[in-house]
Amino acid sequence: MPLSPALAPNATAADAARARRVVTAQTDGAAGFFAQPLTTILTTLGVLVLVVVAISYGRSAGLVAALWGASGLAVAVWLRQSRDRTYDVCFGALLAVGIMAGEVLAGNPPALSLMFTAANMIEIVTAVLLVRRFAPTMNLSTVDGACRFLMAGAVIAPLPAAAFVAVFLAVTGGADPVETFQTWWFGHALGLAVIGAFGAALTPQHLEALKRPWRALEMAGLLGLVTVVSVAVFLLIRAPMSFAIIPVLILVAARLRVLGTAGALVIVTLLSIGGALAGVGPFDGTGMDLADRAMLAQTMVFLGCLPMFLVAALLEERDTLAERAAQGRLRAEAASESKSRLLANVAHEIKSPVGGIIGIGDLWRGGQLGAVSAGQVEMADMLVKTARQVEALAHDLLDVARAESGAVKVDLRPTDVPGLLQDVRNALALRPESQSVRVELDCAGDGLVAIADSQRLTQIIGNLASNAVKYGAAGGVVRLAARRVPRAIRIEVIDFGPGLTAEKQAQLFEPFNRLGLERSAIEGHGIGLALAKRLTELQGGTIGVRSSPGQGATFWVELPSA
């Protein structure tokens, strides 16, 4: 007897470890199979019963049944179990025994029973392998997952078995291979699509929802409605009223999503094809043989009803995305609140010591702390200037925090826009950086009165004008303009500087974004425009920019007119 890799003289440690893993996997697979005897026994019995029922009552084209649920049940359970190779072999063997027993109990001779068993196992194994390969998560709550499952497990999987059976019956019994192929494919594809999808939809998440009494009651009521309508249109009414089931399926998809729609499709499929085989309902047309009636019913389910499953998957996918978006919004709001609190705390902590630094600098510069030299006066000026910049930053941070948290209150009143622009112009003229820039005022027309908070609007236009002087000073002119537009007053701050690219315009109103000018000599913190945008929105207005590289920039604010 050959030695195992673990005992062979030249075996490596890796070989021994690999051998142990193989033995362990085989042991675990067998243990997993025998650890779930109830599932395997019930599945086998269910397959046996479905085989007997399909053969006894569902044959429409010679020896082939028009609806075959055994494969759907087997695939649904198999895909829910372990993917271990030993488990697969044991479970597949048990399924083969169940199918063979059903064939024999239904009256098929041994040779034919063996052939049909082999064909069914080819179909089941193909479906399992294809679904594991192309829809491994079996997530039917998305359109992509549902399409992958139906295409791999229902549309493609029955093809090899259908071809095998068609050839075998044509050679041995002279059956029409085309009719045999299409009857097998339609019947088995429907069983795999409907019963397989229902089994795949029985996820813990879907079952958890049914624990709520009102949800379970709603599902029972709607599936009862599906049953009543299906009995009426497929068994009792001979007129072609099959389309009446479509609105009911749409309602089920809208309310019960994937699991409810899968259950409704099982009911519709059984009653429609059962009615066609029994010769009742709308498919009992004059001159139509059994195979034609069954084919008509199968086609109706495939083309008219099965797409409702994709509708349900689409709606459930939308629900999932909406829930994720809501959760993301809540997280973003929580993060924004935390940031606002942090900014407010930082601003408060900065203001007190900076105020002390400014006071000491003023005393030092004025000689009140003792005699000072010219160099010390210059240093004191730099100290006070820098401290005031930090103080301005603290005030801006506090304003941003208050605006984002909704703590900023605006007092909206009729505001004289030309007078406000004149005040901004006068204040701007006092700044050292605007000495080389000419500030023009252009107010077109009379009655330029906006509904605004004059203090906050002055802050907004002041920020825009200050930026125009700092970044557009190369043009030598900054223009403050106002004019009337439909139902609003438009205020513009125009510079003739280098302008902005479209990419930079998209980033302008982001907090702390200085568009790559962080290392330039131009002072700033990148929060003025973000604050201006928020304050404008609080007043019911809009803000924007119009610019081209080399053509300057026009920042505009529109507020409701009085």
Side-chain angles (χ1 to χ4, degrees):
M1 184 178 73
L3 295 174
S4 67
L7 302 177
N10 297 324
T12 64
D15 294 331
R18 189 179 303 109
R20 285 193 296 270
R21 286 196 298 270
V22 170
V23 173
T24 301
Q26 293 173 347
T27 304
D28 291 344
F33 176 78
F34 291 109
Q36 299 175 336
L38 185 61
T39 300
T40 54
I41 292 174
L42 290 179
T43 303
T44 303
L45 291 177
V47 167
L48 187 152
V49 171
L50 289 176
V51 168
V52 173
V53 171
I55 294 175
S56 301
Y57 302 102
R59 282 175 168 169
S60 64
L63 298 173
V64 182
L67 181 61
W68 189 263
S71 296
L73 175 63
V75 170
V77 176
W78 197 338
L79 290 172
R80 287 293 181 192
Q81 306 305 311
S82 169
R83 299 188 180 192
D84 179 80
R85 184 175 301 174
T86 303
Y87 185 98
D88 288 344
V89 171
C90 295
F91 192 72
L94 196 59
L95 288 177
V97 171
I99 295 172
M100 185 69 182
E103 295 282 348
V104 173
L105 289 176
N108 282 336
L112 198 60
S113 298
L114 185 62
M115 186 275 299
F116 278 130
T117 300
N120 278 283
M121 289 308 301
I122 291 173
E123 178 179 274
I124 293 170
V125 172
T126 302
V128 170
L129 293 178
L130 288 177
V131 170
R132 287 180 176 178
R133 172 65 180 84
F134 296 104
T137 61
M138 289 196 301
N139 183 12
L140 304 188
S141 297
T142 66
V143 176
D144 180 68
C147 288
R148 285 173 175 268
F149 181 88
L150 294 176
M151 183 62 66
V155 175
I156 299 177
L159 293 176
F164 171 70
V165 171
V167 172
F168 183 89
L169 293 181
V171 172
T172 59
D176 183 356
V178 175
E179 185 177 8
T180 301
F181 179 89
Q182 70 181 17
T183 304
W184 178 285
W185 183 85
F186 265 107
H188 289 242
L190 271 178
L192 288 167
V194 174
I195 299 179
F198 181 72
L202 289 172
T203 62
Q205 293 81 2
H206 290 136
L207 295 177
E208 184 69 24
L210 294 179
K211 292 183 179 179
R212 297 193 291 270
W214 66 268
R215 190 66 173 172
L217 185 62
E218 181 183 30
M219 186 168 187
L222 287 177
L223 292 184
L225 177 63
V226 170
T227 303
V228 170
V229 175
S230 297
V231 168
V233 300
F234 297 126
L235 301 182
L236 302 179
I237 303 175
R238 295 179 62 87
M241 295 290 292
S242 302
F243 62 87
I245 197 63
I246 302 301
V248 182
L249 290 177
I250 293 175
L251 177 62
V252 171
R255 296 299 305 163
L256 304 180
R257 300 298 192 260
V258 167
L259 179 59
T261 304
L265 287 174
V266 172
I267 297 172
V268 171
T269 302
L270 290 175
L271 292 177
S272 61
I273 297 180
L277 294 175
V280 296
F283 302 113
D284 183 23
T286 304
M288 296 177 64
D289 59 17
L290 182 61
D292 291 335
R293 295 201 305 269
M295 181 64 63
L296 189 60
Q298 291 169 336
T299 304
M300 187 279 302
V301 174
F302 252 115
L303 301 182
C305 300
L306 200 57
M308 290 300 107
F309 191 79
L310 300 182
V311 173
L314 177 63
L315 294 174
E316 192 153 327
E317 184 176 11
R318 186 206 61 179
D319 292 343
T320 302
L321 294 177
E323 182 179 355
R324 291 177 182 174
Q327 293 174 354
R329 185 178 65 254
L330 292 176
R331 288 194 297 267
E333 290 174 352
S336 179
E337 291 177 1
S338 299
K339 181 195 69 176
S340 298
R341 288 194 300 268
L342 176 62
L343 289 178
N345 292 335
V346 169
H348 280 296
E349 293 297 327
I350 289 175
K351 286 174 63 179
S352 297
V354 167
I357 294 173
I358 293 174
I360 293 173
D362 286 334
L363 293 174
W364 181 24
R365 182 176 55 185
Q368 299 179 37
L369 300 180
V372 292
S373 64
Q376 290 175 329
V377 171
E378 184 179 356
M379 292 296 294
D381 285 336
M382 293 178 59
L383 175 66
V384 172
K385 180 181 178 182
T386 303
R388 291 197 182 280
Q389 291 175 355
V390 176
E391 184 182 43
L393 172 61
H395 283 293
D396 286 344
L397 289 175
L398 193 57
D399 283 340
V400 169
R402 288 172 176 169
E404 291 187 347
S405 63
V408 173
K409 304 300 181 183
V410 292
D411 183 15
L412 301 180
R413 295 183 178 181
T415 301
D416 179 42
V417 174
L420 184 144
L421 294 183
Q422 183 62 53
D423 292 340
V424 172
R425 179 189 183 190
N426 294 338
L428 195 63
L430 299 177
R431 296 191 178 187
E433 62 268 21
S434 62
Q435 297 302 318
S436 60
V437 178
R438 186 173 76 255
V439 181
E440 298 179 349
L441 193 61
D442 180 14
C443 295
D446 298 326
L448 297 176
V449 180
I451 299 297
D453 184 314
S454 59
Q455 180 183 353
R456 293 303 182 181
L457 183 55
T458 300
Q459 185 178 359
I460 294 168
I461 303 304
N463 277 342
L464 297 179
S466 176
N467 284 345
V469 170
K470 287 190 295 185
Y471 300 107
V477 177
V478 170
R479 181 175 299 145
L480 307 179
R483 56 189 173 90
R484 183 182 295 276
V485 296
R487 295 182 297 278
I489 302 298
R490 185 182 182 96
I491 305 171
E492 296 180 340
V493 178
I494 307 167
D495 69 68
F496 300 91
L500 298 164
T501 63
E503 180 181 1
K504 290 185 176 181
Q505 291 178 46
Q507 305 171 23
L508 267 178
F509 297 99
E510 296 176 0
F512 307 104
N513 190 341
R514 295 199 60 205
L515 307 181
L517 297 176
E518 293 83 357
R519 299 182 180 274
S520 68
I522 302 175
E523 298 175 357
H525 307 100
I527 60 177
L529 289 178
L531 179 58
K533 183 176 186 296
R534 183 59 180 151
L535 293 176
T536 301
E537 292 171 348
L538 286 174
Q539 298 176 76
T542 55
I543 187 171
V545 63
R546 185 177 68 253
S547 180
S548 298
Q551 302 296 321
T554 299
F555 286 84
W556 54 267
V557 174
E558 285 190 4
L559 293 167
S561 60

